[in-house]
Amino acid sequence: MNFDLTDEQRAIRDTFARFCDERIAPQAAALDEARAFPRALFRELAELGFFGMRYPESVGGTGLALTEFCLALTEVARGSMSLAGAVAMQSLMGTKFLQLLGNADIVERLFKPALCGDRIGAICMTEPNAGSDLESIATTATRVDGGYVLNGQKTWITSAPVADFFTVFARAGEEKKLTIFLVEKEFKGLVVGREIHKMGVWALPTSEVAFNDCFVPDSHRLSKEEGDGEGHLRKTLAEIRIITGAMALGVARAALDEAVRYAGERQQFGKPINRFQAIQLKLAEMATGLEAATALVHRAAWLCDAKRPHHKEAAMAKLFATETAASICDQAARVLASYGYAMEYPVQRYLRDVRFTLIGGGTSEILKLVIAKEVSA
């Protein structure tokens, strides 16, 4: 077994680590407090080629693997979970189906500009009564002359207030099966509704989206045939879970680093608190958990890159990494004690932001059921 990163992987990790330290981390608190989409950093990451990492060179990408993408995304999340969530959406869920299924016009006019940060994409799947339960998705697409008319309500749509286009899952055809559509922000009947105010990731706007007799031309039905949406979504779900685990690694590393730094500086009873066993045990448990989570995420990414079965491993990686990150952020706040509760220290942000990773890609409860089913198969 060889657990070493390749020279290319190390170079990618180090590039984005420097970007985190020099550009993201110094602005993270201000971005959070402003509660505004981090557009400048978003564009800077586009210039670094971040959005094209997972796409082939033929469409403007760099053709890198999921492992390399996870290494870069972890470093972005170490600086700001809001920014990480925005660029993860842009790099995968918001653009994948355009590249995979879109016609030449869509690829040239929307997808390629999105890789440059000139267009922003979002995906519309979750509904008020449909989260993990895909069967409950109720948005409909009714066939009409020249296209479809969409009606329905979506919620928890990441980047919706700033998005230029939306990948939408709706039920179409006689059997009302999930079908994928592309809706541009100018389309009549598309309504970006109220913004959802969240506990964390304050610089990542999230809104409700409604479709009220929204006409979508045939050219914007991304599905090759009605009803193939669920198959495409399930193929993507493992990647979503792995990259969510990668984001959890980033915020966990930030929390651990802050706890280690503070414990080395804070004096009590005449010596730094990292000299006391109670603090040492916390740091040891945090570091061990992070190391184990990293191994699970990287192995799941490696399996995906090798085109080997990885759905169980993706669920395991996401479950363990996010739960461990949540625990690490909580323990870091305990190490800082009252300062872990103070807004002037970043740990409170890590503690709020890490919960974002517990939800996206499936809750821990759903993931446990997925793993149990795989194990029992």
Side-chain angles (χ1 to χ4, degrees):
M1 272 181 256
N2 181 4
F3 294 99
D4 289 335
L5 298 179
T6 66
D7 290 342
E8 181 183 39
Q9 289 169 341
R10 278 195 296 272
I12 290 169
R13 181 199 60 193
D14 293 347
T15 295
F16 287 95
R18 284 193 300 272
F19 186 80
C20 169
D21 293 337
E22 296 172 5
R23 298 291 301 136
I24 305 175
Q27 302 181 58
L31 288 171
D32 203 49
E33 291 169 8
R35 303 190 185 218
F37 186 77
R39 197 173 293 272
L41 289 171
F42 186 87
R43 285 188 175 277
E44 288 181 45
L45 282 168
E47 292 170 4
L48 281 175
F50 187 89
F51 300 147
M53 290 179 72
R54 295 286 292 127
Y55 294 115
E57 294 180 8
S58 59
V59 291
T62 50
L64 293 170
L66 184 60
T67 300
E68 286 77 44
F69 181 77
C70 286
L71 290 169
L73 183 60
T74 294
E75 296 301 329
V76 176
R78 182 169 62 84
S80 167
M81 183 62 76
S82 290
L83 181 61
V87 298
M89 171 60 67
Q90 182 81 350
S91 304
L92 178 61
M93 297 82 82
T95 51
K96 179 172 183 176
F97 296 110
L98 276 69
Q99 185 271 327
L100 185 67
L101 304 170
N103 58 35
D105 172 68
I106 287 171
V107 170
E108 290 296 326
R109 189 168 53 83
L110 296 176
F111 173 76
K112 287 185 177 180
L115 296 192
C116 300
D118 295 331
R119 296 286 187 273
I120 297 176
I123 190 167
C124 297
M125 183 177 65
T126 303
E127 296 184 0
N129 294 313
S132 300
D133 181 12
L134 298 181
E135 296 298 322
S136 293
I137 289 178
T139 298
T140 59
T142 304
R143 196 78 170 89
V144 296
D145 185 32
Y148 294 79
V149 172
L150 269 59
N151 281 284
Q153 181 81 26
K154 301 291 186 178
T155 191
W156 290 102
I157 308 306
T158 299
S159 298
V162 296
D164 296 293
F165 57 85
F166 301 80
T167 300
V168 183
F169 285 78
R171 299 200 173 276
E174 293 183 2
E175 297 183 8
K176 300 296 182 185
K177 290 188 175 181
L178 286 182
T179 305
I180 312 172
F181 298 89
L182 174 65
V183 177
E184 299 185 46
K185 70 177 181 180
E186 298 87 2
F187 284 12
K188 185 178 179 180
L190 166 68
V191 179
V192 177
R194 73 176 183 91
E195 188 168 342
I196 299 170
H197 298 290
K198 309 178 298 296
M199 174 194 292
V201 288
W202 288 348
L204 181 61
T206 307
S207 293
E208 295 177 344
V209 174
F211 303 94
N212 301 326
D213 291 330
C214 179
F215 175 73
V216 180
D218 283 326
S219 61
H220 283 52
R221 189 190 81 182
L222 295 178
S223 287
K224 297 303 181 185
E225 58 184 36
E226 292 179 342
D228 69 4
E230 185 168 344
H232 285 298
L233 183 61
R234 292 196 184 280
K235 288 179 182 178
T236 305
L237 195 54
E239 279 190 80
I240 294 173
R241 288 170 174 165
I242 293 168
I243 69 171
T244 304
M247 288 192 286
L249 298 180
V251 69
R253 167 57 64 187
L256 175 58
D257 288 348
E258 180 65 9
V260 170
R261 183 201 64 77
Y262 180 86
E265 295 178 357
R266 174 67 167 169
Q267 296 271 336
Q268 287 290 283
F269 305 102
K271 57 185 176 182
I273 63 171
N274 65 4
R275 301 285 298 277
F276 295 101
Q277 276 194 343
I279 299 300
Q280 291 171 350
L281 295 179
K282 287 184 186 299
L283 297 179
E285 290 170 359
M286 293 159 69
T288 302
L290 179 56
E291 194 72 21
T294 301
L296 279 172
V297 171
H298 288 182
R299 181 170 183 270
W302 175 78
L303 287 170
C304 180
D305 291 336
K307 294 181 170 47
R308 294 171 59 175
H310 59 278
H311 286 81
K312 176 186 68 178
E313 289 78 8
M316 287 177 168
K318 198 270 185 184
L319 171 66
F320 188 82
T322 57
E323 290 289 352
T324 299
S327 175
I328 289 171
C329 291
D330 177 63
Q331 291 303 314
R334 292 169 187 259
V335 170
L336 270 72
S338 56
Y339 288 109
Y341 201 56
M343 296 300 286
E344 63 186 285
Y345 283 78
V347 168
Q348 51 76 28
R349 186 174 77 252
Y350 306 149
L351 193 57
R352 290 185 287 105
D353 285 355
V354 72
R355 301 200 67 80
F356 174 73
T357 68
L358 292 170
I359 303 165
T363 64
S364 294
E365 291 73 21
I366 288 293
L367 293 172
K368 289 175 183 178
L369 295 177
V370 169
I371 295 165
K373 183 177 180 180
E374 291 275 352
V375 169
S376 302

